[in-house]
Amino acid sequence: MKKHALCILLLLLIGLLSAQPTKNPTRAALYSAFVPGGGQLYNHAYFKAGLVIGVQGYFIGSALYHDAKADDYKQQLEGLSDPLTIQQIRAKQKEYQDLRTSDFWWMGITMTLSVLDAWVDAHLYDFDAQKEKLHLRFEGDTLLLEKRF
């Protein structure tokens, strides 16, 4: 299973780094949805890719940590009979479950923002080249927009 995932990831990264004069916004969004920072790598926005990978990695690690702590407190409940201790341990367990849920929400929010960023960047990838083809001209009282092909 790990070999298959590694092969798929390697093929995806090769596809991301292939040079293209224009970028496909849908492809960028899908890469970003499935691989943290994938759409940014596809768009050659390496700083943004590192930022997305770091933020997503932090939230994934934090969620795993909070899940493990919640499980630890759940295991501590086994065999206890003191109601006060049970209440305290359940409160700590709930606290870590809430933190884990918060991490999941933040992962979703940052993933959505990453997908949107990759989509917009792909649309604007050749903006400088296209900008050179547009010219504003004034003729008397008229403003003209001219596009050269």
Side-chain angles (χ1 to χ4, degrees):
M1 181 68 179
K2 289 182 182 180
K3 289 180 183 179
H4 295 296
L6 185 60
C7 288
I8 290 171
L9 185 61
L10 185 62
L11 288 173
L12 184 63
L13 288 175
I14 289 170
L16 290 174
L17 298 175
S18 65
Q20 296 177 0
T22 61
K23 298 294 180 181
N24 182 335
T26 303
R27 182 177 288 171
L30 288 173
Y31 284 152
S32 192
F34 290 110
V35 177
Q40 286 74 18
L41 287 173
Y42 175 75
N43 290 328
H44 303 279
Y46 300 113
F47 179 75
K48 285 183 185 179
L51 188 65
V52 169
I53 291 167
V55 169
Q56 286 286 326
Y58 169 77
F59 285 123
I60 290 169
S62 181
L64 291 172
Y65 172 76
H66 291 136
D67 186 54
K69 290 297 278 184
D71 284 345
D72 288 346
Y73 283 110
K74 182 179 180 181
Q75 289 176 357
Q76 287 181 14
L77 284 172
E78 295 173 7
L80 290 179
S81 59
D82 181 32
L84 182 60
T85 306
I86 289 173
Q87 181 182 5
Q88 290 172 341
I89 290 176
R90 281 194 179 148
K92 285 300 246 182
Q93 179 188 13
K94 172 107 172 74
E95 177 184 338
Y96 281 106
Q97 288 171 339
D98 290 345
L99 287 170
R100 180 191 58 202
T101 302
S102 176
D103 291 334
F104 286 139
W105 275 104
W106 281 111
M107 274 191 277
I109 290 167
T110 55
M111 186 188 78
T112 302
L113 291 174
S114 169
V115 168
L116 287 173
D117 174 68
W119 187 75
V120 169
D121 272 357
H123 272 291
L124 298 176
Y125 185 74
D126 63 344
F127 179 75
D128 290 333
Q130 295 297 324
K131 185 173 72 173
E132 295 299 321
K133 296 177 182 178
L134 291 175
H135 296 281
L136 288 175
R137 277 188 315 147
F138 291 98
E139 285 186 7
D141 294 341
T142 308
L143 173 66
L144 299 173
L145 177 64
E146 183 178 279
K147 179 165 171 71
R148 296 185 185 150
F149 295 96

